[in-house]
Amino acid sequence: MDRLKVIWIIIILGNIFDYVITLLFSYFGILYMDRNILIGQNTNFSNVLLTLTGEKLLFLSGVYWFSKLFDYLKISKYKWIGLLPFTIITTIICVLDLLGLILYYLSPL
């Protein structure tokens, strides 16, 4: 499998993992999204579901069209380097989600 496919798999699976974990946090009432200006202080499940779905679709479509820019500029063999920052950010967010999940279940109520 080439590097580009691995990077796309990491980006897509990482965003699906982040989506599911964030929705679980919202459903159980442990989500604090006061820094997200699109949701604001209202963190009920339906608002988080709609906003998060829109954010993920915009992110993935933006990354896709950014990668198509490399084809347009005829430098497609360097496309994986252009997608590397998105992969690193996705990995960091997944690690933070996993740490939050672990710390939530390890902390006494």
Side-chain angles (χ1 to χ4, degrees):
M1 200 182 315
D2 61 340
R3 290 178 280 211
L4 190 61
K5 286 184 183 179
V6 171
I7 286 177
W8 271 113
I9 289 172
I10 290 172
I11 289 174
I12 291 172
L13 290 180
N15 279 292
I16 290 173
F17 177 74
D18 178 47
Y19 183 78
V20 170
I21 293 296
T22 305
L23 288 180
L24 283 175
F25 283 168
S26 172
Y27 183 75
F28 292 124
I30 55 174
L31 180 69
Y32 299 105
M33 296 286 287
D34 56 346
R35 293 189 180 156
N36 191 335
I37 58 171
L38 298 174
I39 295 176
Q41 302 294 330
N42 191 4
T43 58
N44 61 6
F45 184 73
S46 62
N47 283 353
V48 172
L49 176 70
L50 291 174
T51 305
L52 195 61
T53 302
E55 285 179 354
K56 292 298 176 184
L57 288 175
L58 281 172
F59 175 74
L60 289 175
S61 66
V63 170
Y64 173 76
W65 287 110
F66 179 74
S67 70
K68 286 296 177 186
L69 182 65
F70 286 88
D71 293 335
Y72 178 73
L73 295 174
K74 307 220 184 334
I75 51 172
S76 60
K77 66 179 183 178
Y78 300 113
K79 190 187 295 188
W80 70 274
I81 295 174
L83 294 177
L84 207 56
F86 299 110
T87 308
I88 292 170
I89 291 171
T90 301
T91 306
I92 290 171
I93 289 174
C94 288
V95 167
L96 290 176
D97 283 343
L98 196 59
L99 283 174
L101 192 65
I102 290 171
L103 291 177
Y104 175 73
Y105 283 112
L106 289 180
S107 65
L109 297 176

Coordinates of all heavy atoms in Angstrom, one line a residue, residues 22-82:
T22 N -16.8 12.1 20.4 CA -17.4 13.3 20.8 C -18.9 13.2 21.0 O -19.5 13.8 21.9 CB -17.1 14.4 19.7 OG1 -15.7 14.5 19.5 CG2 -17.6 15.8 20.1
L23 N -19.5 12.4 20.1 CA -21.0 12.2 20.3 C -21.3 11.4 21.5 O -22.3 11.6 22.2 CB -21.5 11.4 19.0 CG -21.6 12.3 17.8 CD1 -22.2 11.4 16.7 CD2 -22.5 13.5 18.0
L24 N -20.4 10.4 21.9 CA -20.6 9.7 23.1 C -20.4 10.6 24.3 O -21.2 10.6 25.3 CB -19.6 8.5 23.3 CG -19.9 7.3 22.4 CD1 -18.8 6.3 22.6 CD2 -21.2 6.7 22.9
F25 N -19.4 11.5 24.3 CA -19.3 12.5 25.4 C -20.5 13.4 25.5 O -20.9 13.7 26.6 CB -18.0 13.3 25.2 CG -16.7 12.6 25.5 CD1 -15.5 13.1 25.1 CD2 -16.7 11.4 26.2 CE1 -14.3 12.5 25.5 CE2 -15.5 10.7 26.5 CZ -14.3 11.3 26.1
S26 N -21.0 13.8 24.4 CA -22.2 14.6 24.4 C -23.4 13.9 24.9 O -24.2 14.5 25.7 CB -22.5 15.2 23.0 OG -23.7 15.9 23.0
Y27 N -23.6 12.7 24.5 CA -24.7 11.9 24.9 C -24.7 11.6 26.4 O -25.8 11.7 27.1 CB -24.8 10.6 24.2 CG -26.0 9.7 24.5 CD1 -27.2 10.0 24.0 CD2 -25.9 8.6 25.3 CE1 -28.3 9.3 24.3 CE2 -27.0 7.8 25.6 CZ -28.2 8.2 25.1 OH -29.3 7.4 25.4
F28 N -23.6 11.4 27.0 CA -23.5 11.1 28.4 C -23.3 12.4 29.3 O -23.2 12.4 30.5 CB -22.3 10.2 28.7 CG -22.5 8.8 28.2 CD1 -21.6 8.2 27.4 CD2 -23.7 8.1 28.6 CE1 -21.8 6.9 26.9 CE2 -23.9 6.8 28.1 CZ -23.0 6.2 27.3
G29 N -23.3 13.6 28.6 CA -23.3 14.8 29.3 C -22.0 15.2 29.9 O -21.9 16.0 30.8
I30 N -20.9 14.7 29.4 CA -19.5 15.1 29.9 C -18.7 15.9 28.9 O -17.5 16.1 29.0 CB -18.7 13.8 30.3 CG1 -18.6 12.9 29.1 CG2 -19.3 13.2 31.5 CD1 -17.7 11.7 29.4
L31 N -19.4 16.5 27.9 CA -18.8 17.3 26.9 C -18.8 18.7 27.2 O -19.8 19.3 27.6 CB -19.5 17.1 25.5 CG -18.9 17.8 24.3 CD1 -17.6 17.2 24.0 CD2 -19.9 17.7 23.2
Y32 N -17.6 19.4 27.2 CA -17.5 20.8 27.4 C -17.0 21.4 26.2 O -15.8 21.3 25.9 CB -16.6 21.1 28.6 CG -17.1 20.4 29.9 CD1 -16.5 19.3 30.4 CD2 -18.2 21.0 30.6 CE1 -17.0 18.7 31.6 CE2 -18.7 20.4 31.7 CZ -18.1 19.3 32.2 OH -18.6 18.7 33.3
M33 N -17.8 22.1 25.4 CA -17.5 22.7 24.2 C -17.6 24.2 24.2 O -18.0 24.8 23.3 CB -18.4 22.2 23.1 CG -18.3 20.7 22.8 SD -16.9 20.2 21.9 CE -17.2 20.8 20.3
D34 N -17.2 24.8 25.3 CA -17.4 26.2 25.4 C -16.4 27.0 24.5 O -16.6 28.2 24.3 CB -17.2 26.7 26.9 CG -15.9 26.2 27.5 OD1 -15.2 25.4 26.9 OD2 -15.5 26.7 28.6
R35 N -15.4 26.3 24.0 CA -14.4 27.0 23.1 C -14.8 26.9 21.7 O -14.2 27.5 20.8 CB -13.0 26.5 23.3 CG -12.5 26.8 24.7 CD -11.0 26.5 24.8 NE -10.6 26.9 26.1 CZ -9.5 26.3 26.7 NH1 -8.9 25.4 26.1 NH2 -9.2 26.7 27.9
N36 N -15.8 26.0 21.4 CA -16.2 25.9 20.0 C -17.3 26.9 19.7 O -18.4 26.9 20.3 CB -16.8 24.5 19.8 CG -17.0 24.2 18.3 OD1 -17.2 25.1 17.5 ND2 -17.0 22.9 18.0
I37 N -17.0 27.9 18.8 CA -17.9 29.0 18.6 C -19.1 28.6 17.8 O -20.1 29.3 17.9 CB -17.2 30.2 17.9 CG1 -16.6 29.7 16.6 CG2 -16.1 30.8 18.8 CD1 -16.1 30.8 15.7
L38 N -19.1 27.4 17.2 CA -20.2 27.0 16.4 C -21.3 26.4 17.3 O -22.5 26.4 17.0 CB -19.8 26.0 15.3 CG -18.9 26.5 14.3 CD1 -18.4 25.4 13.4 CD2 -19.5 27.6 13.5
I39 N -20.9 25.7 18.4 CA -21.8 25.1 19.4 C -22.1 26.1 20.5 O -23.3 26.3 20.9 CB -21.3 23.8 19.9 CG1 -21.2 22.8 18.8 CG2 -22.2 23.3 21.0 CD1 -20.5 21.5 19.2
G40 N -21.1 26.8 21.0 CA -21.3 27.7 22.1 C -21.6 26.9 23.4 O -21.0 25.9 23.7
Q41 N -22.4 27.5 24.3 CA -22.7 26.9 25.6 C -23.7 25.8 25.5 O -23.9 25.0 26.5 CB -23.1 28.0 26.6 CG -22.2 29.1 26.8 CD -20.9 28.7 27.4 OE1 -20.9 27.7 28.2 NE2 -19.8 29.3 27.1
N42 N -24.4 25.7 24.4 CA -25.5 24.7 24.3 C -24.9 23.4 23.8 O -24.7 23.2 22.6 CB -26.6 25.2 23.4 CG -27.8 24.4 23.4 OD1 -27.9 23.4 24.2 ND2 -28.8 24.7 22.6
T43 N -24.8 22.4 24.7 CA -24.1 21.2 24.3 C -25.1 20.0 24.3 O -24.8 18.9 24.7 CB -22.9 20.8 25.2 OG1 -23.4 20.8 26.5 CG2 -21.8 21.8 25.0
N44 N -26.4 20.2 24.0 CA -27.3 19.1 23.9 C -26.9 18.3 22.7 O -26.3 18.7 21.8 CB -28.8 19.5 23.9 CG -29.1 20.4 22.7 OD1 -28.3 20.6 21.8 ND2 -30.3 20.9 22.7
F45 N -27.4 17.0 22.7 CA -27.0 16.0 21.7 C -27.3 16.4 20.3 O -26.5 16.3 19.4 CB -27.6 14.7 22.0 CG -27.1 13.6 21.1 CD1 -25.8 13.1 21.3 CD2 -27.9 13.1 20.2 CE1 -25.3 12.1 20.5 CE2 -27.4 12.1 19.3 CZ -26.1 11.6 19.5
S46 N -28.5 17.0 20.0 CA -28.8 17.3 18.6 C -28.0 18.4 18.1 O -27.6 18.4 16.9 CB -30.3 17.6 18.6 OG -30.6 18.8 19.3
N47 N -27.7 19.4 18.9 CA -26.8 20.5 18.4 C -25.4 20.0 18.1 O -24.8 20.4 17.1 CB -26.8 21.7 19.4 CG -28.0 22.5 19.3 OD1 -28.9 22.3 18.5 ND2 -28.1 23.4 20.3
V48 N -24.9 19.2 19.0 CA -23.5 18.7 18.8 C -23.5 17.7 17.5 O -22.6 17.8 16.7 CB -23.0 17.9 20.0 CG1 -21.7 17.2 19.8 CG2 -22.9 18.9 21.2
L49 N -24.5 16.9 17.4 CA -24.6 16.0 16.2 C -24.6 16.8 14.9 O -23.8 16.5 14.0 CB -25.9 15.2 16.3 CG -26.1 14.2 15.1 CD1 -25.1 13.1 15.1 CD2 -27.5 13.7 15.2
L50 N -25.5 17.8 14.8 CA -25.5 18.6 13.6 C -24.3 19.4 13.3 O -23.7 19.4 12.2 CB -26.7 19.6 13.6 CG -28.1 18.9 13.6 CD1 -29.2 19.9 13.8 CD2 -28.3 18.1 12.3
T51 N -23.7 20.1 14.3 CA -22.5 20.9 14.1 C -21.3 20.0 13.8 O -20.5 20.3 12.9 CB -22.3 21.7 15.4 OG1 -23.5 22.5 15.7 CG2 -21.1 22.6 15.2
L52 N -21.2 18.9 14.5 CA -20.0 18.1 14.3 C -20.1 17.4 13.0 O -19.0 17.2 12.3 CB -19.9 17.0 15.4 CG -18.6 16.3 15.6 CD1 -17.5 17.2 15.9 CD2 -18.8 15.2 16.7
T53 N -21.3 17.0 12.5 CA -21.4 16.4 11.2 C -21.0 17.4 10.1 O -20.2 17.1 9.2 CB -22.8 15.9 10.9 OG1 -23.2 15.0 12.0 CG2 -23.0 15.3 9.6
G54 N -21.4 18.7 10.3 CA -21.0 19.7 9.3 C -19.6 20.0 9.3 O -18.9 20.2 8.3
E55 N -19.0 20.0 10.5 CA -17.5 20.3 10.6 C -16.7 19.2 10.0 O -15.8 19.5 9.3 CB -17.1 20.5 12.1 CG -17.5 21.8 12.7 CD -17.1 21.8 14.2 OE1 -16.6 20.8 14.7 OE2 -17.3 22.9 14.8
K56 N -17.1 18.0 10.2 CA -16.3 16.8 9.7 C -16.5 16.8 8.1 O -15.5 16.5 7.4 CB -16.8 15.5 10.3 CG -16.4 15.4 11.7 CD -14.9 15.4 11.9 CE -14.6 15.4 13.4 NZ -13.1 15.5 13.6
L57 N -17.7 17.0 7.6 CA -17.9 17.0 6.2 C -17.1 18.2 5.5 O -16.5 18.0 4.5 CB -19.3 17.1 5.8 CG -20.2 15.9 6.1 CD1 -21.6 16.1 5.8 CD2 -19.7 14.7 5.3
L58 N -17.1 19.3 6.1 CA -16.3 20.4 5.6 C -14.8 20.1 5.6 O -14.1 20.5 4.7 CB -16.6 21.7 6.4 CG -17.9 22.4 6.0 CD1 -18.1 23.6 7.0 CD2 -17.8 23.0 4.6
F59 N -14.4 19.6 6.7 CA -13.0 19.2 6.9 C -12.5 18.2 5.8 O -11.5 18.4 5.1 CB -12.7 18.7 8.3 CG -11.2 18.2 8.4 CD1 -10.2 19.2 8.5 CD2 -10.9 16.9 8.5 CE1 -8.9 18.7 8.7 CE2 -9.6 16.5 8.6 CZ -8.6 17.4 8.7
L60 N -13.3 17.1 5.7 CA -12.9 16.1 4.7 C -13.0 16.6 3.3 O -12.1 16.3 2.5 CB -13.7 14.8 4.9 CG -13.4 14.1 6.2 CD1 -14.4 12.9 6.4 CD2 -12.0 13.6 6.3
S61 N -14.0 17.4 3.0 CA -14.1 17.9 1.6 C -13.0 18.9 1.3 O -12.4 19.0 0.2 CB -15.4 18.5 1.3 OG -15.7 19.6 2.1
G62 N -12.6 19.7 2.3 CA -11.5 20.6 2.2 C -10.2 19.9 2.0 O -9.4 20.4 1.1
V63 N -9.9 18.9 2.7 CA -8.7 18.1 2.6 C -8.7 17.5 1.2 O -7.6 17.4 0.5 CB -8.5 17.1 3.7 CG1 -7.4 16.1 3.4 CG2 -8.3 17.8 5.0
Y64 N -9.8 16.9 0.7 CA -9.9 16.3 -0.6 C -9.5 17.3 -1.7 O -8.7 17.0 -2.6 CB -11.3 15.7 -0.8 CG -11.4 15.2 -2.2 CD1 -10.9 14.0 -2.6 CD2 -12.2 15.9 -3.2 CE1 -11.0 13.5 -3.9 CE2 -12.3 15.5 -4.5 CZ -11.8 14.3 -4.8 OH -11.9 13.8 -6.1
W65 N -10.1 18.5 -1.6 CA -9.8 19.5 -2.7 C -8.5 20.1 -2.6 O -7.9 20.5 -3.6 CB -10.9 20.6 -2.7 CG -12.2 20.0 -3.3 CD1 -13.4 19.8 -2.6 CD2 -12.4 19.6 -4.6 NE1 -14.3 19.3 -3.4 CE2 -13.8 19.1 -4.7 CE3 -11.7 19.5 -5.8 CZ2 -14.3 18.6 -5.8 CZ3 -12.2 19.1 -6.9 CH2 -13.5 18.6 -7.0
F66 N -7.9 20.1 -1.4 CA -6.5 20.5 -1.2 C -5.6 19.5 -1.8 O -4.6 19.9 -2.5 CB -6.2 20.7 0.3 CG -4.8 21.1 0.6 CD1 -4.4 22.4 0.3 CD2 -3.9 20.2 1.0 CE1 -3.0 22.8 0.5 CE2 -2.6 20.6 1.3 CZ -2.1 21.9 1.0
S67 N -5.9 18.3 -1.7 CA -5.1 17.2 -2.3 C -5.2 17.3 -3.9 O -4.3 17.0 -4.6 CB -5.4 15.9 -1.8 OG -6.7 15.4 -2.3
K68 N -6.4 17.7 -4.4 CA -6.6 17.8 -5.8 C -5.7 19.0 -6.4 O -5.4 19.0 -7.6 CB -8.0 18.0 -6.2 CG -8.8 16.7 -6.0 CD -8.3 15.7 -7.0 CE -9.0 14.4 -6.9 NZ -8.4 13.4 -7.8
L69 N -5.4 19.9 -5.5 CA -4.6 21.0 -6.0 C -3.2 20.6 -6.4 O -2.6 21.1 -7.4 CB -4.5 22.1 -4.8 CG -3.7 23.3 -5.1 CD1 -4.4 24.2 -6.2 CD2 -3.5 24.1 -3.8
F70 N -2.7 19.5 -5.8 CA -1.4 19.0 -6.2 C -1.5 18.3 -7.6 O -0.5 18.4 -8.3 CB -0.9 18.0 -5.1 CG -0.4 18.6 -3.9 CD1 -1.3 18.9 -2.8 CD2 0.9 18.9 -3.7 CE1 -0.9 19.5 -1.7 CE2 1.3 19.5 -2.6 CZ 0.5 19.8 -1.5
D71 N -2.6 17.7 -7.9 CA -2.8 17.2 -9.2 C -2.8 18.3 -10.3 O -2.3 18.2 -11.4 CB -4.1 16.4 -9.3 CG -4.0 15.1 -8.5 OD1 -2.8 14.6 -8.3 OD2 -5.0 14.6 -8.1
Y72 N -3.5 19.4 -9.9 CA -3.7 20.5 -10.8 C -2.3 21.2 -11.1 O -2.0 21.6 -12.2 CB -4.6 21.5 -10.2 CG -4.8 22.8 -11.1 CD1 -5.5 22.7 -12.3 CD2 -4.3 24.0 -10.7 CE1 -5.7 23.9 -13.0 CE2 -4.5 25.1 -11.4 CZ -5.2 25.1 -12.6 OH -5.3 26.2 -13.4
L73 N -1.5 21.3 -10.1 CA -0.2 21.9 -10.2 C 0.9 20.9 -10.8 O 2.0 21.3 -10.9 CB 0.3 22.4 -8.9 CG -0.5 23.6 -8.3 CD1 0.0 23.9 -6.9 CD2 -0.5 24.8 -9.2
K74 N 0.4 19.7 -11.1 CA 1.3 18.6 -11.7 C 2.5 18.3 -10.8 O 3.6 18.0 -11.2 CB 1.8 19.1 -13.0 CG 0.7 19.5 -14.0 CD 0.9 19.0 -15.4 CE -0.1 19.4 -16.4 NZ -1.4 19.8 -16.0
I75 N 2.2 18.2 -9.5 CA 3.2 17.8 -8.5 C 2.5 16.7 -7.6 O 2.7 16.7 -6.4 CB 3.8 18.9 -7.6 CG1 2.6 19.8 -7.0 CG2 4.7 19.8 -8.4 CD1 3.1 20.8 -6.0
S76 N 1.8 15.8 -8.2 CA 1.0 14.8 -7.5 C 1.9 13.8 -6.7 O 1.4 13.2 -5.8 CB 0.0 14.1 -8.4 OG 0.7 13.4 -9.4
K77 N 3.1 13.7 -7.1 CA 4.0 12.7 -6.4 C 4.3 13.3 -5.0 O 4.8 12.5 -4.1 CB 5.2 12.4 -7.1 CG 6.2 13.5 -7.3 CD 7.4 13.0 -8.1 CE 8.5 14.1 -8.2 NZ 9.7 13.6 -8.8
Y78 N 4.1 14.6 -4.7 CA 4.3 15.1 -3.4 C 3.0 15.4 -2.6 O 3.0 16.1 -1.6 CB 5.0 16.5 -3.5 CG 6.4 16.3 -4.2 CD1 6.7 16.9 -5.4 CD2 7.4 15.6 -3.5 CE1 7.9 16.8 -6.0 CE2 8.7 15.5 -4.1 CZ 8.9 16.1 -5.4 OH 10.1 15.9 -6.0
K79 N 1.9 14.8 -3.1 CA 0.6 14.9 -2.5 C 0.6 14.5 -1.0 O 0.0 15.0 -0.1 CB -0.4 14.2 -3.2 CG -1.8 14.5 -2.8 CD -2.9 13.6 -3.5 CE -2.9 13.9 -5.0 NZ -4.0 13.2 -5.6
W80 N 1.4 13.4 -0.7 CA 1.4 12.8 0.6 C 2.0 13.8 1.6 O 1.7 13.8 2.8 CB 2.1 11.5 0.6 CG 3.5 11.5 0.4 CD1 4.2 11.5 -0.8 CD2 4.6 11.6 1.4 NE1 5.5 11.6 -0.6 CE2 5.8 11.6 0.7 CE3 4.5 11.6 2.8 CZ2 7.0 11.7 1.4 CZ3 5.7 11.7 3.5 CH2 7.0 11.7 2.8
I81 N 3.0 14.6 1.1 CA 3.6 15.6 2.0 C 2.6 16.7 2.3 O 2.6 17.2 3.5 CB 4.9 16.2 1.3 CG1 5.9 15.1 1.2 CG2 5.5 17.3 2.2 CD1 7.2 15.5 0.4
G82 N 1.8 17.1 1.4 CA 0.8 18.1 1.7 C -0.3 17.6 2.6 O -0.9 18.4 3.3

